[in-house]
Amino acid sequence: MAKKYNSILGVDIGSQTIKIAEVRLQGRQPSVTALGMAQTPEGAVDHIGVHDSESVGQVLKQLCASSGVSVGDVVVSMAGQGSVLVRTLEVPNMNESELKQHMDWEITRNIPFAESTVVSDFKAFPPESAAAQNMDVVMAISPQSAVDLIVDMVKKAGKKTAALDVEPLGLARSLAMSYESDMQGKNICLVEIGHRTTSINIYRDGKLLMPRQVPLGGEMFTRAIADNMNVSFEEAEHMKHTKGEVPTSVGAAPSTTFNPFDTGGATQQFAPYNPFADPSEAAPEGEPSAEATEVVPVPEPEMPVATPSTGMSDEATGIYNAMAGILDEFTAEVRRSIDYYRSKGGEVDVIMLCGGGSKLRNLPSFLESAVGLPAQMLDPMRNITVNAKRADGDSDDARNEYAVAVGNGLHICF
């Protein structure tokens, strides 16, 4: 986004809802001047990406009108397994020309899509110290067809695409703007729970250190309630939001040195599972391949089933027990990501939660107990003035669903 903007509309296209946040600069401070949320057309967007730019564009147009949006320029994030790849790399320090040449090579060898025509970009972070020999780089690759769909969607909404972004970087801006002083020098694991996917990203001082996306979201919790309690999906969704909760504690938290990939005393040595490894890359000599590693059956730690002694009502306990298996999977994925980051020499100080699926009552306390790290909810509008014309989503219950949309709007500040 070479042009300097004083106002922008941040757009987040989810598989369940579309969120928008109009952000304006007042002096040097950002202000949210419009917010809005609408249901995504059925079947138009899924975990792969946007499929129907026409219907999504029309909903976005109506949402802008009903929310009082007046700016015409949009920053929208690319999302979906078939729409974008985001990866972080550590490369030797090099000048701008050398880095460009090196990243061209990295991008070419990392294209995961069948489509050969792609759009790509990268962002390099300066070394943390003059003595550092390496620097971190974030790269993004998207098929040209996915980019064209997003641009067409924005055009059908009567807007102009100022920039395309990716969700992990939009979240990084939300985190940096709202928690800069509190989180300085800390490693943050930010977990955004969407409808069908969850992104687990680790940051330090606004720098994206590790992005990961898993195909598990709020829909799976609802589906588990519907299946186990023999109710409709719509009724299960209502039950989850109005009566669903989880225990505040799972008992003693696992040791921070717990290795979920330990073979339990097996004599053969296996390298830790790398959830980001390219299966086509050969393992170093003397080490097993990623494929060999993944076939080792390793049971995840069992989550205790809630009982009325947790202080929950009988009805809440029944809802929890219906979705306990999915909650176990979710907790294991968070733990696995943190353990992998630790295996590379990093550490995590705090877990933060956002997204529509994060509103399950007591989830931060539950996760804190299960993983053994402090956990809290993210407020993307903390320390930001909100003067929304129609702040339908500006409530304590919905604020953190706007993390990506507000982060995209904060493009004008960074």
Side-chain angles (χ1 to χ4, degrees):
M1 192 165 70
K3 180 181 175 181
K4 187 64 177 177
Y5 292 85
N6 290 319
S7 60
I8 209 78
L9 180 67
V11 176
D12 174 20
I13 306 295
S15 58
Q16 185 180 43
T17 59
I18 298 169
K19 281 81 64 177
I20 60 172
E22 182 184 80
V23 180
R24 295 178 182 273
L25 283 178
Q26 297 180 342
R28 294 185 177 181
Q29 297 301 314
S31 175
V32 176
T33 53
L35 286 168
M37 185 184 302
Q39 289 293 310
T40 304
E42 184 70 27
V45 181
D46 61 15
H47 65 287
I48 300 299
V50 176
H51 300 294
D52 185 349
S53 62
E54 175 73 36
S55 60
V56 175
Q58 289 304 313
V59 171
L60 179 59
K61 184 175 183 177
Q62 295 166 10
L63 180 59
C64 289
S66 64
S67 302
V69 170
S70 58
V71 302
D73 297 299
V74 169
V75 173
V76 59
S77 48
M78 302 291 298
Q81 296 173 0
S83 297
V84 66
L85 168 74
V86 182
R87 182 169 291 180
T88 54
L89 304 169
E90 187 178 47
V91 303
N93 286 335
M94 56 186 77
N95 62 39
E96 187 175 339
S97 176
E98 292 171 334
L99 180 61
K100 173 66 168 62
Q101 185 176 5
H102 178 79
M103 291 308 299
D104 285 344
W105 174 77
E106 287 282 5
I107 288 167
T108 299
R109 81 185 190 96
N110 277 285
I111 296 175
F113 310 109
E115 184 177 334
S116 59
T117 305
V118 298
V119 177
S120 62
D121 201 0
F122 64 89
K123 176 180 176 61
F125 297 102
E128 293 188 357
S129 69
Q133 297 183 352
N134 297 323
M135 60 181 176
D136 295 306
V137 181
V138 179
M139 70 175 182
I141 309 171
S142 181
Q144 181 67 60
S145 59
V147 171
D148 292 343
L149 265 174
I150 296 295
V151 173
D152 184 58
M153 174 199 74
V154 173
K155 184 177 180 180
K156 284 181 167 56
K159 303 294 182 183
K160 179 181 177 182
T161 305
L164 296 177
D165 210 325
V166 293
E167 288 185 357
L169 294 183
L171 290 169
R173 285 188 291 273
S174 283
L175 185 62
M177 181 62 67
S178 297
Y179 294 86
E180 181 180 14
S181 58
D182 297 339
M183 301 302 178
Q184 189 171 8
K186 293 184 179 180
N187 293 284
I188 315 300
C189 178
L190 180 54
V191 182
E192 194 231 359
I193 310 173
H195 184 56
R196 291 182 175 171
T197 61
T198 292
S199 63
I200 306 171
N201 306 306
I202 297 179
Y203 303 89
R204 181 180 176 87
D205 294 334
K207 179 193 297 186
L208 175 64
L209 301 176
M210 191 192 84
R212 186 184 179 215
Q213 188 174 82
V214 295
L216 189 159
E219 180 187 42
M220 292 182 67
F221 288 88
T222 305
R223 188 71 61 190
I225 296 170
D227 292 344
N228 286 294
M229 302 190 75
N230 196 28
V231 297
S232 68
F233 184 87
E234 292 72 20
E235 186 177 352
E237 183 80 359
H238 178 74
M239 292 169 64
K240 182 180 73 173
H241 287 298
T242 59
K243 300 174 182 177
E245 62 179 288
V246 298
T248 57
S249 173
V250 294
S255 165
T256 55
T257 59
F258 168 70
N259 178 7
F261 318 107
D262 186 17
T263 57
T267 55
Q268 186 176 3
Q269 296 298 310
F270 290 92
Y273 166 58
N274 177 357
F276 315 101
D278 184 346
S280 65
E281 295 181 1
E285 186 176 354
E287 296 183 11
S289 67
E291 182 180 1
T293 303
E294 291 183 48
V295 299
V296 179
V298 182
E300 295 287 354
E302 292 185 1
M303 287 292 170
V305 175
T307 64
S309 63
T310 60
M312 295 158 53
S313 67
D314 289 348
E315 187 172 18
T317 298
I319 294 171
Y320 165 71
N321 288 339
M323 61 183 178
I326 302 301
L327 186 63
D328 187 0
E329 289 184 41
F330 166 76
T331 305
E333 291 294 355
V334 175
R335 187 189 296 114
R336 181 178 288 119
S337 299
I338 291 172
D339 283 348
Y340 174 77
Y341 181 66
R342 285 171 171 163
S343 76
K344 297 298 183 181
E347 190 48 83
V348 172
D349 297 294
V350 64
I351 299 170
M352 302 192 78
L353 300 168
C354 65
S358 69
K359 296 186 294 183
L360 194 60
R361 194 175 300 119
N362 299 332
L363 184 58
S365 299
F366 179 91
L367 198 59
E368 182 170 321
S369 176
V371 180
L373 288 170
Q376 65 184 77
M377 299 295 285
L378 172 79
D379 180 359
M381 285 170 269
R382 181 175 181 259
N383 297 329
I384 299 177
T385 303
V386 179
N387 294 316
K389 297 182 179 72
R390 298 192 181 186
D392 295 333
D394 184 25
S395 67
D396 291 339
D397 187 53
R399 284 169 74 94
N400 80 352
E401 294 188 56
Y402 286 94
V404 173
V406 171
N408 288 341
L410 290 173
H411 227 297
I412 59 178
C413 302
F414 292 85

